[in-house]
Amino acid sequence: QVQLVESGGGLVQPGGSLRLSCAASGIIFRAVDMGWYRQAPGKQRELVVKITSGGVTVYPGSVKVRFTISRDNDKNMVFLQMSSLKAEDTALYCCNAVTRAGIGYWGQGTQVTASS
């Protein structure tokens, strides 16, 4: 069975940094596209950034200069390095995996709060 488990969230001051981790199991990790999504209370879930099985990074939003996604295929993990955090970055961050067949999987998320 596929399982995605996020960690690394917490409370930080604006301008601080966090590194989120997502550990995957029950999946051929090297063959899947991985992404980080976030959802704040009262707002729609949005894609933060994704990295394909081929290592191509896609930034649909405005975090390109502050967030970096990476993956370790040997450890079946994907990371999100977050810098210069802003209050508007506060949200539940969830890990997502999509297979080549289009099947998607989700983790339960880790909370990130940037506040003074």
Side-chain angles (χ1 to χ4, degrees):
Q1 61 186 141
V2 178
Q3 186 175 21
L4 304 176
V5 181
E6 302 94 335
S7 62
L11 174 64
V12 298
Q13 295 185 4
S17 300
L18 284 174
R19 190 182 78 152
L20 307 184
S21 300
C22 175
S25 61
I27 193 172
I28 304 176
F29 186 80
R30 187 180 299 272
V32 303
D33 297 341
M34 302 296 300
W36 287 97
Y37 289 74
R38 69 184 181 187
Q39 185 170 25
K43 296 184 178 180
Q44 187 175 353
R45 184 182 65 189
E46 64 174 339
L47 173 66
V48 179
V49 62
K50 67 178 180 181
I51 184 168
T52 70
S53 61
V56 178
T57 301
V58 180
Y59 293 90
S62 60
V63 300
K64 184 176 181 178
V65 299
R66 299 187 295 115
F67 294 2
T68 301
I69 190 171
S70 61
R71 63 191 298 162
D72 187 334
N73 289 336
D74 291 333
K75 297 181 178 180
N76 289 355
M77 297 187 71
V78 63
F79 307 94
L80 183 65
Q81 182 64 52
M82 311 168 68
S83 301
S84 301
L85 283 163
K86 304 176 181 179
E88 52 263 42
D89 294 321
T90 297
L92 181 70
Y93 285 71
C94 296
C95 182
N96 170 256
V98 180
T99 70
R100 293 179 179 178
I103 302 175
Y105 302 93
W106 293 92
Q108 293 186 356
T110 183
Q111 179 68 36
V112 172
T113 302
S115 176
S116 298

